[in-house]
């Protein structure tokens, strides 16, 4: 049994801790704030296999299969619902692109299909069909509650012996050659140190700082924190916009009805580079901009009150694909999820646990595609389609 330290108590760190504990490893999980306080509790809840490249489609097909069984496995309600994703085309060229994406998705078993606007209206009663020509629809995509999911993983991880510490910040490492031998941390004003056999950097937007602590360049994995915001309306009658609905050509704007309280969550690609890693200030230009898109997608939203607006980080890499793999002898990374980390967590957590514990995993994760050293080699992947 090895002792493995995980830095970052978001969904990726917590899911990996659980999977490692299932494999019989001893795990210590560090979170500098409270669990979920990074991007995870700020996310839009969306889960989809409708990507536009083989690596992300295969990974997400597997992840959705894990999501389908997660409530039963963890023994908690996580409000996972397969309410679909509906992408909407505004031009003939986009319809052709949707058709090509659907062919690729179908090749890997994702049951997406092109639908007309009558069917789209049946699925989303408040939809304004007039601007759109067709929809790419996958009924197996869906959503889940990030709070319940993280706490379900955390509960089971602790039950399996994971030492999960909140308000405990990792501040450095001790190294012998290429290997990290100990993690130094600060908690309640006191500094401590623990010997470890391996370390996973699951700090997402903060990951470059952790890499630097390990003696690597901060720019090796160029992750930039972009402020991504959401607005939520008062509750609407259930069933009005259950799928995530998105016309990508409208600045990736989207709406999705919260599966529990019925409020409509509205997002868009109106992004700002964060002023710092504590810059969670919502902005007025986003509020105005996102509501203009939301009302064009679903006109009845004109009459809905906005009850909340919040911001979090899309921890973005240059190709919007995460960095997943080994960085040094016993130092690993799974970070830079660029807006997809929640949906990918069941698959990535299992894959990382397999890699760290056994050197392999049965998860269909294309290690070469997500290779963390690709940026240094200047080998960018095709940009992952990036919305919640
Ligand atoms: P995080 O949740 O950010 O966790 C990293 C943790 O590391 C943080 O809690 C931080 O405090 C901790 N940490 C940092 N430094 C240290 C240190 N030195 N010591 C200890 N701990 C440290 N994804 C989807 O899949 N679907 C969506 O619909 C979706 N919508 C989104 C909407 C918004 C508005 C935002 C902001 C994001 C959205 N995302 C979505 C992205 C998703 O939230 C993230 O990709 C995911 O939560 C990343 O999880 P993580 O565990 O990698 O990172």
């Amino acid at each position: 049994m090895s002792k493995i330290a995980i830095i970052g108590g978001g969904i990726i760190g917590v899911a990996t801790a659980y999977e490692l504990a299932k494999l019989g490893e001893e795990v210590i999980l560090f979170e500098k704030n409270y669990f979920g306080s990074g991007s995870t509790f700020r996310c839009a809840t969306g889960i989809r296999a409708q990507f536009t490249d083989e690596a992300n489609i295969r990974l997400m097909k597997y992840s959705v299969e894990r999501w389908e069984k997660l409530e039963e496995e963890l023994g908690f309600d996580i409000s996972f619902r397969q309410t679909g994703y509906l992408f909407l085309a505004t031009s003939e060229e986009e319809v052709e692109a949707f058709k090509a994406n659907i062919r690729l998705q179908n090749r890997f078993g994702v049951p997406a299909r092109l639908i007309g606007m009558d069917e789209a209206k049946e699925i989303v009663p408040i939809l304004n069909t007039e601007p759109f020509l067709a929809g790419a629809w996958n009924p197996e995509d869906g959503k889940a509650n990030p709070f319940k999911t993280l706490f379900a993983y955390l509960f089971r991880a602790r039950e399996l012996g994971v030492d999960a510490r909140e308000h405990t910040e990792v501040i450095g490492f001790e190294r012998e050659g290429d290997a990290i031998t100990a993690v130094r941390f600060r908690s309640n004003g006191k500094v401590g140190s623990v010997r470890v056999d391996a370390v996973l950097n699951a700090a997402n937007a903060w990951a470059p700082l952790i890499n630097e602590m390990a003696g690597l360049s901060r720019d090796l994995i160029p992750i930039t924190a972009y402020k991504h915001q959401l607005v939520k309306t008062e509750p609407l009658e259930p069933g009005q916009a259950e799928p995530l609905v998105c016309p990508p050509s409208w600045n990736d704007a989207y709406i999705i009805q919260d599966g529990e309280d019925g409020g409509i969550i509205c997002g868009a690609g109106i992004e700002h580079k964060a002023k710092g890693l504590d810059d969670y200030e919502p902005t007025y230009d986003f509020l105005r901009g996102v509501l203009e898109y939301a009302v064009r997608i679903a006109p009845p939203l004109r009459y809905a009150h906005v009850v909340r607006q919040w911001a979090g980080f899309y921890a973005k890499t240059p190709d919007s694909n995460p960095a997943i793999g080994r960085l040094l002898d016993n130092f690993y990374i799974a970070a830079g999820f660029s807006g997809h980390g929640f949906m990918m967590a069941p698959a990535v957590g299992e894959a990382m646990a397999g890699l760290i514990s056994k050197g392999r995993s049965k998860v269909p994760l294309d290690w070469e595609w997500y290779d963390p050293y690709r940026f240094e080699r200047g080998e960018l992947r095709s940009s992952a389609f990036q919305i919640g």
Side-chain angles (χ1 to χ4, degrees):
M1 187 165 76
S2 310
K3 182 154 187 162
I4 297 154
I6 298 179
I7 305 163
I11 194 70
I12 295 292
V14 175
T16 309
Y18 165 77
E19 297 288 347
L20 277 167
K22 264 180 27 186
L23 295 176
E25 301 293 3
E26 188 182 347
V27 182
I28 180 161
L29 170 63
F30 295 100
E31 168 51 52
K32 72 175 171 132
N33 200 340
Y34 57 89
F35 290 108
S37 60
S39 297
T40 299
F41 285 172
R42 301 165 192 273
C43 89
T45 75
I47 297 164
R48 70 182 150 104
Q50 284 193 79
F51 275 82
T52 54
D53 61 83
E54 180 176 336
N56 283 306
I57 294 170
R58 293 185 65 220
L59 182 69
M60 275 312 302
K61 168 88 169 77
Y62 183 84
S63 204
V64 169
E65 284 163 13
R66 285 292 317 265
W67 276 106
E68 284 169 350
K69 298 189 197 97
L70 213 53
E71 283 197 347
E72 198 185 327
E73 176 176 340
L74 297 175
F76 284 103
D77 163 31
I78 56 169
S79 299
F80 173 67
R81 306 274 181 277
Q82 285 176 297
T83 45
Y85 261 55
L86 176 63
F87 291 107
L88 296 164
T90 53
S91 68
E92 287 299 346
E93 297 79 67
E94 220 179 355
V95 174
E96 291 309 311
F98 279 15
K99 284 183 188 164
N101 294 339
I102 288 170
R103 275 196 298 275
L104 186 65
Q105 290 153 7
N106 290 169
R107 251 180 63 205
F108 298 104
V110 175
R113 61 192 172 85
L114 199 73
I115 62 170
M117 295 320 295
D118 288 347
E119 189 172 352
K121 183 83 180 168
E122 276 168 31
I123 297 167
V124 182
I126 56 173
L127 182 66
N128 172 21
T129 55
E130 196 260 326
F132 307 118
L133 303 180
W137 166 242
N138 177 20
E140 289 190 357
D141 290 339
K143 56 194 174 191
N145 181 313
F147 301 89
K148 290 179 175 176
T149 306
L150 184 137
F151 286 128
Y153 266 124
L154 186 63
F155 186 92
R156 293 301 172 207
R158 280 183 159 146
E159 208 174 47
L160 291 170
V162 171
D163 177 0
R165 303 186 184 189
E166 285 188 294
H167 303 291
T168 306
E169 182 177 10
V170 169
I171 53 171
F173 300 117
E174 286 160 32
R175 271 179 66 163
E176 276 169 26
D178 253 6
I180 292 176
T181 53
V183 174
R184 284 192 288 116
F185 56 89
R186 185 170 39 224
S187 179
N188 276 330
K190 291 197 184 114
V191 171
S193 158
V194 59
R195 289 195 72 76
V196 294
D197 300 301
V199 175
L200 169 64
N201 178 355
N204 210 30
W206 294 265
L209 306 176
I210 307 295
N211 287 345
E212 201 173 36
M213 289 178 199
L216 298 166
S217 158
R218 208 185 266 205
D219 302 325
L220 177 69
I221 319 282
I223 295 173
T224 311
Y226 278 92
K227 207 195 278 188
H228 188 77
Q229 300 178 58
L230 294 172
V231 154
K232 191 168 181 184
T233 71
E234 64 187 328
L236 263 62
E237 191 188 334
Q240 297 307 302
E242 294 290 349
L244 189 141
V245 183
C246 170
S249 64
W250 289 4
N251 203 358
D252 292 336
Y254 58 91
I255 61 169
I256 180 170
Q257 189 158 20
D258 188 304
E260 287 166 289
D261 67 22
I264 304 283
I265 298 170
C266 311
I270 304 166
E271 286 183 339
H272 303 271
K273 200 168 158 186
K275 291 188 190 118
L277 289 171
D278 54 358
D279 175 16
Y280 291 118
E281 188 80 17
T283 62
Y284 181 63
D285 69 321
F286 178 83
L287 179 67
R288 274 194 78 93
V290 77
L291 291 178
E292 277 170 21
Y293 287 124
V295 167
R296 278 164 69 195
I297 296 170
L301 291 181
R302 185 183 304 280
Y303 305 105
H305 294 102
V306 168
V307 293
R308 269 189 76 197
Q309 179 184 0
W310 69 95
F313 302 133
Y314 264 13
K316 261 207 240 185
T317 64
D319 58 16
S320 296
N321 285 284
I324 305 176
R326 185 198 298 261
L327 279 175
L328 293 171
D329 192 29
N330 64 347
F331 182 58
Y332 300 81
I333 187 164
F337 280 90
S338 311
H340 318 129
F342 180 61
M343 61 180 83
M344 289 180 170
V348 171
E350 186 186 343
M352 280 319 293
L355 178 71
I356 297 169
S357 174
K358 315 250 179 257
R360 64 183 185 283
S361 156
K362 72 172 173 51
V363 176
L365 185 145
D366 183 341
W367 298 99
E368 208 182 308
W369 181 268
Y370 300 109
D371 178 1
Y373 280 103
R374 68 183 185 277
F375 307 108
E376 195 182 47
R377 295 195 303 267
E379 282 174 20
L380 295 196
R381 309 297 178 227
S382 62
S383 192
F385 183 40
Q386 183 202 287
I387 61 135

